[in-house]
Amino acid sequence: QVQLVESGGGLVQAGGSLRLSCAASGRTFSNYAMGWFRQAPGKEREFVAVMQWSVDRSYYADSVKGRFTISRDNAKNTVYLQMDSLKPEDTAVYYCAARPFIISTAQDEYPYWGQGTQVTVSS
């Protein structure tokens, strides 16, 4: 049974940084794509970043490119989202998601989700 547990959210001032973690268990994730999505109040959930677990290949939403970095720690089975130069519009609940094999930016293609972690950026 796949389990994804996010942590690291919180309140930060604009221009600050946060690092989100997603601890993955229940499967060998070497053939998985791991994604981060977010949902702001009153808005649809949207793609943020994705990486292939076993290959150095990643993609980012244009809104976060150059500010956010997705990475992994194989030994800890954990995926990270380093968020720098945060803006108030980054305020959202951030979700970690996993899908077998191929990278996708479409949330409907992800069968496994974490519970989410709140990120609030004050101006």
Side-chain angles (χ1 to χ4, degrees), residues 20-96:
L20 305 183
S21 300
C22 172
S25 61
R27 188 110 359 143
T28 300
F29 289 92
S30 58
N31 291 325
Y32 273 66
M34 304 296 295
W36 285 97
F37 295 79
R38 67 186 181 186
Q39 186 168 20
K43 294 188 176 182
E44 299 281 325
R45 189 161 55 186
E46 64 178 4
F47 164 74
V48 174
V50 63
M51 68 176 297
Q52 195 74 37
W53 192 286
S54 58
V55 178
D56 284 331
R57 183 169 63 178
S58 57
Y59 297 97
Y60 298 89
D62 288 343
S63 58
V64 307
K65 204 172 293 182
R67 300 188 298 121
F68 290 11
T69 304
I70 189 170
S71 64
R72 71 191 183 284
D73 183 326
N74 291 334
K76 296 182 178 179
N77 238 27
T78 298
V79 176
Y80 302 100
L81 185 68
Q82 177 67 40
M83 306 186 296
D84 299 318
S85 302
L86 282 162
K87 304 175 181 180
E89 51 263 44
D90 294 318
T91 295
V93 177
Y94 283 72
Y95 297 91
C96 175

